[in-house]
Amino acid sequence: MNREQGEGTRRVPPLPREHLSSPVTRTVLTVQQKMLSAAREYLRGEGFMEFLPPLIGPVTDPAVRGAKQVDIDYYGHRYKLMASVILYKQATLVGFDKIFFIAPNVRLEPPETSATHRHLAEFHQIDVEMAGATRADITRVAEQLVMHVVGQVVRDLPAELESLGRDPGAFNELLLGLPFDRMPHAAAVDALRGDRHDQNPDAEIDWPGEEILSRKASRPFFLTDYPKGSRGFYDRESRTEPGRLNNFDLIAPEGYGELSSGSEREFEYERIMARMRETGENPAKYEWYLNMVRDGIPDSAGFGLGLERFTRYVCGLDAVWRASAYPKIPGVVSP
């Protein structure tokens, strides 16, 4: 099998030596290093404290959209590799008000997601959580974080962007300095049905639908107000509009799709238990987390911003694996 196949089939990364020695890879990872440095600079400047993320735990994020969690044997107990550190972010707020991780995640995505060119089985997120925050507060943090990171790359690495076919001036014109637009989930469903895409109004925007919306956009925008049942038990349900979640996705333009997901969080024991029952979760698996919730955790809001997806967008890459030194494409056995 060729290491890179034709249009419409899965494209497989080259072997490590070829990939790591490629001028494109070196440029992309140089940009990514600048992005990480700028992200830390912005978040620390806003008073966020960085924590080292846990890699394993008795339970992980259940809302992984069709992906399988990875079990390991931890001294005779079945533990999970982290698919997301969302529960640990909430727990950390009992001691610190504003926190972030640069967190590795492992999700065994369905093999067919390799055709989307934006899924990896192993990836990293810039995970942010803030006590006492509303959705408006945390989307402002996400927006300013993205602007700061892109602004630093445009300022310091314009030649690298140009070598990748990206126009630094276009970022200045279309992204920097202006607030991102908002689109409610219901409006997105109407728009997609107007384009003859049969989007389920009670579910997350599906990947083809997300790409349609993304291709029509010229700059990032927030998709908001997903219906209850489409996301995990920790996304807070509106207190004034039952059935609607106070959450969001950040969608990149040009067809690059989702960069980030976030929400206000449920933090009250009774509401979390009710949401777990509604989603079919087994509360016994979440004993440590529920014990902390019962004793009291702060209300909060937060998000996870996919580092490799963000890098793909900034660098204008045709596939997300190009933004990883050792990429793991769903369904493909790799070093």
Side-chain angles (χ1 to χ4, degrees), residues 194-213:
D195 284 335
R196 299 183 178 182
H197 179 78
D198 188 20
Q199 171 64 46
N200 183 344
D202 298 319
E204 288 190 290
I205 302 299
D206 59 33
W207 291 314
E210 188 181 292
E211 185 170 352
I212 291 168
L213 296 172

Side-chain angles (χ1 to χ4, degrees), residues 226-247:
Y226 275 72
K228 181 181 172 183
S230 65
R231 289 288 173 91
F233 61 80
Y234 43 75
D235 279 13
R236 190 186 303 177
E237 184 178 6
S238 170
R239 302 305 191 252
T240 57
E241 298 179 51
R244 179 182 65 77
L245 300 175
N246 290 341
N247 65 355

Side-chain angles (χ1 to χ4, degrees), residues 5 19 106-107 121 128 138 145 191 210 225 227 258 280 284 307 310:
Q5 298 181 331
H19 179 53
V106 177
R107 301 180 187 177
V128 178
I138 206 67
L145 172 63
E210 188 181 292
D225 302 324
E258 178 200 326
L307 175 63
F310 190 16

Side-chain angles (χ1 to χ4, degrees), residues 124-135:
H124 297 79
Q125 287 194 142
I126 304 170
D127 263 306
V128 178
E129 199 77 14
M130 183 164 68
T134 65
R135 181 174 64 185

